[in-house]
Amino acid sequence: MDILAYRQWPHRSAVCFVHRRAQAWLIFCTFFAAIFFVGCSPTKSVVVLLPDAEGRVGDLRVCSSKGEIELDKAYQSVAFDPQSKSGPSTSSMQKQEFVNRFGDALAAEPEMTSRIDFFTLYYQTDSVELTPDSSRSMDAVIASLKQVDVLGLYVIGHADRLGSKRYNRKLSQKRAVAMKNLLVAGGVPSDRIRVSFLGETDPQIETDDEVQEPLNRRVRIVVKRQIETSD
Amino acid sequence: MGPSYPNGHSTDPAIAEPNFPVQRPTGKKWKPKCLFSFSRLNLNACKGSIFQQENGQYTKAGRFYGKLHESCLNLDDSGICSALKQFESEMGLIMMNLKSIWLFILFFSAVSALSSHSALAADNTVAAITSMDGTVHLNRSSGENRIAIGFRLKPGDILETGADGSLGLVFDDDTRLSIGPDSRLEIEAFVFDPGESEFSFIVRLFKGTAVYVSGLIAKMSTKATKFITPTASIGIRGTRFAVHVEEIKS
């Protein structure tokens, strides 16, 4: 079998050459995915921030090899053109251009049957005790979570970077569980609540290790709500 | 399991003498490296270098990647073919020594990979198609490509639309995505597992237009969410946006 395979090997043929190139290319792509795009025709990316169905505008952080840009206004846009010499800058996209570019994609947008909002509550250092401010707002949070339109509740615990990763993972878990207990004590059905925790890995404010950051000592409650349809 | 290897140059009459001598040069230069491809779970993904003797000097004559027995296809110079045969037989010997250890590791990694795979294989779909218009094509490695409204998509699926096509989909975390005409989009990763605190949402738009409305994942873990284009990477903190990847006309 081996001999047969050996005799069939193409010697110094074009096929051999192409095959070798193709395979080398494939290996290259696997390890350096970024290089993949060099082979394609050059493209430019345009990103536009939009208001959601309720008119709320979030924020986006767009990164490229030429730098990072934040968008936080409705219809603010940024273009990433690898051939332009200047770095990316933001501009406001005109309605006509917006419709021309995205009309078809907008028409295909799935209908909203639910919406998602969230509450963030902050904790004292190395503790499962809420800050006085957050503690005062708990009543309003619980009242909102007892409304009939709630479809699902997710409680996610976080910690700042003071202390070890492992310790902070545990701490964020304790905070999330403490929050669930608070909600249940306030009358929120416990079977609706899912608890997750991310330790120090997903900060609200990026910091160096071993830095205290009150805004990162938090629990977020993410709520999925039914949208009342008018018809 | 795996290919068979020549038993060594001296014992295998089928192997012809190379038409120029290839010997192990003194020093540390000659280091055949063999890498096993764990992702493919077989023994035949290797790489190495071939050295050639000229005027007493050894120079690197070629490198090869790929299967041992087809590695000739990947050589820089087909004159090395017969030399490779000897190289191969040496590799065969090296492999034989390593094989028992590797086979052991491979066996267990295969078993664990397969068992975890089959557990997931039950239903690893992550999104459903909610609307379709015009020419829409699904590119899936398993070959299945007939899609309709309600069809469930998996990570790794690539969606393509024609000049008249558009498509809308909703992910299991309520992320909504729609693509316009002449677009190509890949669902690279999707994990929504609150019980295990694992979240990941990676979508790649190669060309065309897309509109994104964030779901639970973007609200729960900002770092888990990525929308990638050939020239930019978008980090999402819960919002709605549109992306257009257009070819630059020169």
Side-chain angles (χ1 to χ4, degrees):
Chain A
M1 212 176 79
D2 282 337
I3 314 164
L4 211 74
Y6 182 48
R7 291 212 178 110
Q8 281 169 349
W9 284 345
H11 292 259
R12 215 187 283 276
S13 69
V15 180
C16 174
F17 192 72
V18 169
H19 189 96
R20 189 189 76 215
R21 286 283 294 276
Q23 196 151 350
W25 185 232
L26 203 85
I27 289 162
F28 208 60
C29 286
T30 320
F31 289 108
F32 306 99
I35 311 289
F36 183 84
F37 297 105
V38 175
C40 307
S41 55
T43 59
K44 164 176 132 174
S45 302
V46 180
V47 181
V48 194
L49 182 60
L50 305 175
D52 69 13
E54 275 121 7
R56 292 177 303 188
V57 180
D59 60 326
L60 290 179
R61 180 174 293 192
V62 193
C63 306
S64 77
S65 55
K66 286 191 176 147
E68 199 178 295
I69 276 210
E70 254 187 68
L71 301 181
D72 55 9
K73 294 181 195 69
Y75 300 101
Q76 199 178 19
S77 76
V78 60
F80 293 91
D81 184 346
Q83 291 179 350
S84 91
K85 290 196 174 60
S86 58
S89 62
T90 61
S91 60
S92 185
M93 189 175 273
Q94 295 306 305
K95 192 167 185 193
Q96 194 53 50
E97 191 195 348
F98 178 69
V99 171
N100 287 348
R101 280 181 192 268
F102 299 110
D104 292 307
L106 286 168
E109 259 195 294
E111 213 180 305
M112 304 278 283
T113 54
S114 63
R115 69 189 173 91
I116 294 153
D117 55 26
F118 60 87
F119 302 94
T120 310
L121 297 142
Y122 298 93
Y123 285 78
Q124 297 174 23
T125 309
D126 192 15
S127 154
V128 294
E129 292 292 320
L130 286 164
T131 60
D133 270 359
S134 288
S135 196
R136 274 191 291 277
S137 54
M138 273 312 288
D139 285 345
V141 170
I142 288 172
S144 165
L145 297 181
K146 287 202 287 197
Q147 284 168 9
V148 287
D149 62 351
V150 175
L151 297 172
L153 268 175
Y154 301 86
V155 172
I156 306 105
H158 296 275
D160 67 15
R161 299 192 66 187
L162 186 71
S164 72
K165 270 196 170 165
R166 181 196 284 258
Y167 182 83
N168 283 329
R169 220 178 137 67
K170 269 268 179 291
L171 178 62
S172 68
Q173 182 178 22
K174 283 185 200 156
R175 281 178 179 157
V177 171
M179 177 54 75
K180 179 179 174 174
N181 293 340
L182 262 183
L183 297 181
V184 173
V188 180
S190 77
D191 55 354
R192 259 193 218 170
I193 307 173
R194 307 284 304 270
V195 171
S196 310
F197 50 95
L198 293 170
E200 59 175 57
T201 58
D202 208 284
Q204 190 162 324
I205 311 257
E206 290 280 353
T207 69
D208 289 329
D209 203 5
E210 297 303 328
V211 170
Q212 293 204 42
E213 174 50 66
L215 291 178
N216 290 341
R217 299 194 288 264
R218 69 204 196 278
V219 161
R220 181 175 265 198
I221 304 169
V222 177
V223 195
K224 178 174 164 179
R225 292 179 195 274
Q226 177 93 47
I227 291 181
E228 318 92 87
T229 41
S230 46
D231 46 39
Chain B
M1 187 166 178
S4 60
Y5 301 100
N7 292 327
H9 180 60
S10 54
T11 55
D12 192 344
I15 297 173
E17 276 294 318
N19 51 14
F20 59 86
V22 175
Q23 289 158 18
R24 191 189 299 271
T26 49
K28 289 179 182 172
K29 256 190 160 181
W30 206 84
K31 269 191 188 167
K33 274 188 189 164
C34 195
L35 301 178
F36 300 105
S37 165
F38 279 95
S39 56
R40 286 191 196 162
L41 294 175
N42 60 29
L43 275 168
N44 56 17
C46 299
K47 75 172 185 183
S49 303
I50 314 291
F51 286 83
Q52 187 175 346
Q53 193 189 32
E54 270 174 335
N55 309 325
Q57 288 275 310
Y58 287 95
T59 51
K60 196 183 254 185
R63 293 153 65 88
F64 75 90
Y65 294 94
K67 287 184 182 178
L68 268 183
H69 296 278
E70 287 166 22
S71 47
C72 184
L73 295 174
N74 306 319
L75 277 172
D76 292 333
D77 188 333
S78 55
I80 317 282
C81 265
S82 48
L84 183 71
K85 200 66 189 169
Q86 184 181 339
F87 177 76
E88 248 190 57
S89 64
E90 291 208 43
M91 285 293 276
L93 285 174
I94 298 165
M95 298 281 290
M96 285 299 179
N97 295 335
L98 290 170
K99 215 170 151 187
S100 51
I101 305 163
W102 284 116
L103 278 177
F104 186 76
I105 296 169
L106 274 171
F107 178 74
F108 281 99
S109 59
V111 166
S112 57
L114 284 172
S115 55
S116 65
H117 224 85
S118 55
L120 287 170
D123 185 21
N124 58 354
T125 62
V126 297
I129 292 175
T130 56
S131 68
M132 260 173 70
D133 199 19
T135 315
V136 175
H137 182 76
L138 167 69
N139 211 328
R140 180 180 280 184
S141 48
S142 68
E144 191 179 357
N145 56 16
R146 262 178 289 170
I147 53 174
I149 289 173
F151 184 87
R152 303 272 305 164
L153 298 161
K154 298 174 183 177
D157 283 352
I158 296 175
L159 293 158
E160 287 166 316
T161 53
D164 59 343
S166 68
L167 181 79
L169 49 129
V170 176
F171 287 82
D172 291 349
D173 76 323
D174 281 15
T175 303
R176 294 167 180 81
L177 203 61
S178 60
I179 56 178
D182 282 322
S183 302
R184 181 177 156 88
L185 176 122
E186 181 179 0
I187 302 169
E188 225 172 84
F190 182 94
V191 180
F192 180 63
D193 191 348
E196 294 292 321
S197 300
E198 279 176 20
F199 309 99
S200 173
F201 180 97
I202 305 172
V203 156
R204 193 181 284 271
L205 183 68
F206 295 93
K207 62 168 186 166
T209 53
V211 176
Y212 165 102
V213 183
S214 65
L216 289 165
I217 291 178
K219 298 275 197 326
M220 293 170 83
S221 171
T222 45
K223 286 207 167 163
T225 323
K226 280 256 148 65
F227 192 110
I228 304 167
T229 77
T231 51
S233 160
I234 305 163
I236 303 147
R237 272 186 270 174
T239 190
R240 175 170 172 246
F241 63 88
V243 188
H244 187 185
V245 177
E246 55 179 340
E247 281 181 22
I248 299 167
K249 294 159 198 101
S250 46

